[in-house]
Amino acid sequence: MSNIQRNRNIDTAFKYVGIGCTFFGIVMLLIFIGNILVDGLTRIDWDFLTNLPSRRASKAGILTAWTGTAWILGLTAIIAIPMGVAAGIYLQEYGKKNRLAHIIELNIANLAGVPSIIYGLLGLEIFVRVMRLGGSLLAGALTLALLILPIIIVATREAIKAVPNSLREASYGMGATKWQTIWYQVLPAASGGILTGIILALSRAVGETAPLIVIGALAYVPFVADSPMDEFTVLPIQIFNWVSRPQQEFLVNGAAAIIILLIITFAMNGIAVYLRNRWQKKVSW
């Protein structure tokens, strides 16, 4: 057997191994989602969405959990998006390309892969103890903002880097300043990639549990948060609280809450894919 034939056989074998692994992953995902749907769909109704937590499974709802998730997502977005986009713009357009800049870029890329529990410990020390925010929504949002900030910075830089220099040079040739070029030409051209990165970062934040548990988020909150300084819970923590109980009724509640969380996550990822495809169709360079 010649080397060419051997390499072709290896390529063919690798292709079928890849197809088999992909099919196995899809089947397992469908089985998991199917079991969740079978267990939880019958429990989802208006009362489930609007009731407070209860020791009686049939009366328990996720009002405090999904409102807490909404609070956390909103505050995290308000904190992380301006900082992340501004940092990405500075590093890509204004920052000098020297050794220090290379070290900063390397550390930002590494921070995107740091386990979330580390950010929880950082948030516990800085926001809860030093700044005395306690186990509040604001402390949780600041912690999650640190978690997703590197992702937004990297996504912003990559989106801006994809804009061709010819667009900048044409703007400079018309007499525009550097900031005018960035604001009116570069950012609109890179907006699709930036929005995609932001939504994917927020979709990661919505499922995080470990950092929020570390800073003191509660498993049981009998009231809806009214301000950023209130105590809170979120859907992942409420799900963990229910599935850790031995009663079958609470397991059904956990499955229903998982469905709600999956809907939120899939919706956010779907929006990101839509924005990316729409942006790619508009790009003409």
Side-chain angles (χ1 to χ4, degrees):
M1 181 184 297
S2 64
N3 289 334
I4 295 177
Q5 185 63 37
R6 184 181 299 108
N7 290 335
R8 287 178 178 174
N9 292 339
I10 293 174
D11 289 342
T12 302
F14 181 79
K15 179 180 72 173
Y16 286 113
V17 169
I19 292 174
C21 292
T22 303
F23 181 76
F24 175 78
I26 292 174
V27 169
M28 295 302 296
L29 179 63
L30 291 176
I31 292 174
F32 168 74
I33 294 178
N35 287 334
I36 295 296
L37 292 176
V38 170
D39 292 338
L41 274 179
T42 57
R43 182 66 181 86
I44 297 177
D45 54 23
W46 183 248
D47 289 336
F48 182 71
L49 297 175
T50 57
N51 283 352
L52 295 172
S54 172
R55 291 184 176 87
R56 296 178 58 186
S58 59
K59 299 294 184 180
I62 59 170
L63 178 61
T64 57
W66 74 258
T67 54
T69 298
W71 265 104
I72 283 288
L73 272 182
L75 291 173
T76 302
I78 291 171
I79 297 168
I81 293 174
M83 292 178 60
V85 173
I89 293 172
Y90 174 79
L91 291 173
Q92 186 60 35
E93 297 291 332
Y94 290 97
K96 296 180 179 180
K97 307 302 180 184
N98 51 27
R99 184 177 180 83
L100 178 60
H102 178 70
I103 293 174
I104 293 174
E105 294 170 6
L106 183 62
N107 279 277
I108 289 174
N110 290 334
L111 285 173
V114 171
S116 59
I117 189 68
I118 305 300
Y119 288 98
L121 296 173
L122 181 63
L124 175 65
E125 181 62 28
I126 297 177
F127 305 128
V128 176
R129 295 177 179 173
V130 176
M131 298 179 63
R132 300 184 182 278
L133 295 177
S136 63
L137 283 161
L138 184 57
L142 288 168
T143 302
L144 291 184
L146 289 179
L147 173 66
I148 68 173
L149 195 58
I151 303 174
I152 296 177
I153 293 174
V154 171
T156 300
R157 291 198 62 200
E158 293 300 322
I160 293 175
K161 191 183 298 184
V163 178
N165 286 328
S166 58
L167 192 65
R168 298 176 176 86
E169 293 169 357
S171 179
Y172 294 145
M174 296 295 292
T177 64
K178 188 176 185 67
W179 174 245
Q180 287 174 331
T181 299
I182 294 172
W183 184 257
Y184 292 106
Q185 301 299 327
V186 176
L187 286 181
S191 60
I194 295 173
L195 285 173
T196 299
I198 289 171
I199 294 174
L200 292 178
L202 290 175
S203 67
R204 177 187 176 183
V206 75
E208 287 293 345
T209 307
L212 300 180
I213 292 177
V214 171
I215 67 167
L218 304 177
Y220 176 77
V221 178
F223 58 86
V224 177
D226 293 324
S227 72
M229 297 308 298
D230 287 342
E231 294 180 330
F232 70 102
T233 189
V234 290
L235 276 171
I237 295 178
Q238 184 65 71
I239 292 169
F240 173 76
N241 182 33
W242 278 337
V243 300
S244 61
R245 298 187 181 188
Q247 296 93 335
Q248 179 64 30
E249 294 82 2
F250 282 108
L251 296 180
V252 173
N253 286 355
I258 289 173
I259 294 173
I260 301 299
L261 185 60
L262 285 175
I263 291 174
I264 296 173
T265 305
F266 288 163
M268 296 182 70
N269 282 274
I271 293 172
V273 172
Y274 170 77
L275 291 175
R276 182 184 63 198
N277 293 337
R278 184 178 178 183
W279 175 66
Q280 288 176 345
K281 290 179 181 179
K282 292 175 65 175
V283 172
S284 58
W285 55 76

